[in-house]
C-alpha cells in the first residue's frame, strides 16, 4: 500500500522582505503565513521547524500506541513534545537535533519495559526513519 500526502509552500520576494504561505492537502493548514521573522526572529507565526516537530511528535505518539497495543497495553495518556533545533553552522542553517519528550500514563508496565517499548516506537516511527529516506527533487523553471 502506498499513501501520498501533500504539503505546499508559496513564496514572494527576497529572504528578509519576502513572505510566504504554507498549506496542506487536508486543509488543516490553508495558506498559513510564514516568513523570515517568524522563522528566525521569534515573531509569532508558523515555520518549517515547528511543523516538523508537530509531525514527529504525532507520528511517534501513534507508533508508540501501536507498540503498546502489541504488548497488550493501552495508554491512559501519551503527551509528546518534539523540540527541533535549528543552528547556524559554517555550511548554513541546519537542523541539528530533534528531542522527543514524552510523558505517559500506561497502567500495567514498569519503567524498564516502557523504555524498551518507547525506543522501539522511536526506531519504527516513519518520520524518525525519514532521516535515512531517499529524497528526490524534480525542479522546473516556468
Amino acid at each position: 500500500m502506498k499513501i501520498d500526502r501533500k504539503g505546499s509552500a508559496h513564496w514572494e520576494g527576497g529572504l528578509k522582505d519576502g513572505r510566504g504561505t504554507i498549506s496542506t492537502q487536508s486543509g488543516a493548514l490553508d495558506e498559513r503565513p510564514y516568513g523570515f521573522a517568524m522563522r528566525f526572529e521569534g515573531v509569532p507565526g508558523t515555520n518549517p521547524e515547528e511543523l516538523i516537530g508537530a509531525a514527529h511528535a504525532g507520528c511517534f505518539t501513534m507508533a508508540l500506541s501501536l507498540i503498546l497495543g502489541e504488548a497488550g497495553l493501552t495508554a491512559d495518556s501519551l503527551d509528546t513534545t518534539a523540540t527541533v533545533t535549528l543552528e547556524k553552522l559554517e555550511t548554513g542553517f541546519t537542523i541539528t537535533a530533534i528531542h522527543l519528550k514524552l510523558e505517559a500514563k500506561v497502567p500495567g508496565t514498569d519503567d524498564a519495559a516502557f523504555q524498551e517499548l518507547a525506543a522501539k516506537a522511536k526506531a519504527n516511527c516513519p518520520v524518525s526513519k525519514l532521516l535515512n529516506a531517499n529524497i528526490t527533487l524534480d525542479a522546473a523553471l516556468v
Side-chain angles (χ1 to χ4, degrees):
M1 174 171 70
K2 178 182 174 186
I3 300 170
D4 290 328
R5 302 283 190 228
K6 294 181 182 176
S8 62
H10 174 79
W11 189 266
E12 295 177 2
L15 175 63
K16 289 190 175 184
D17 66 341
R19 61 179 183 241
T21 58
I22 296 175
S23 300
T24 58
Q25 177 182 354
S26 68
L29 298 176
D30 186 19
E31 297 185 4
R32 300 301 306 163
Y34 80 111
F36 184 89
M38 294 171 187
R39 190 170 189 192
F40 299 108
E41 297 174 350
V43 171
T46 195
N47 58 73
E49 291 74 30
E50 76 174 6
L51 296 174
I52 290 168
H56 200 180
C59 182
F60 166 76
T61 304
M62 287 182 74
L64 181 54
S65 180
L66 170 68
I67 299 295
L68 290 170
E70 291 173 348
L73 300 166
T74 301
D76 287 345
S77 66
L78 301 171
D79 294 294
T80 307
T81 301
T83 301
V84 178
T85 301
L86 180 68
E87 292 185 80
K88 187 171 183 177
L89 305 176
E90 280 185 18
T91 57
F93 281 97
T94 303
I95 293 175
T96 57
I98 299 175
H99 176 73
L100 296 171
K101 181 179 179 185
L102 169 65
E103 293 184 5
K105 292 181 184 173
V106 183
T109 190
D110 61 27
D111 187 62
F114 178 72
Q115 294 300 325
E116 185 177 314
L117 296 171
K120 184 176 178 183
K122 185 185 106 189
N124 289 292
C125 161
V127 174
S128 293
K129 291 178 183 180
L130 176 64
L131 298 174
N132 296 319
N134 179 26
I135 300 172
T136 61
L137 171 64
D138 180 14
L141 189 59
V142 294

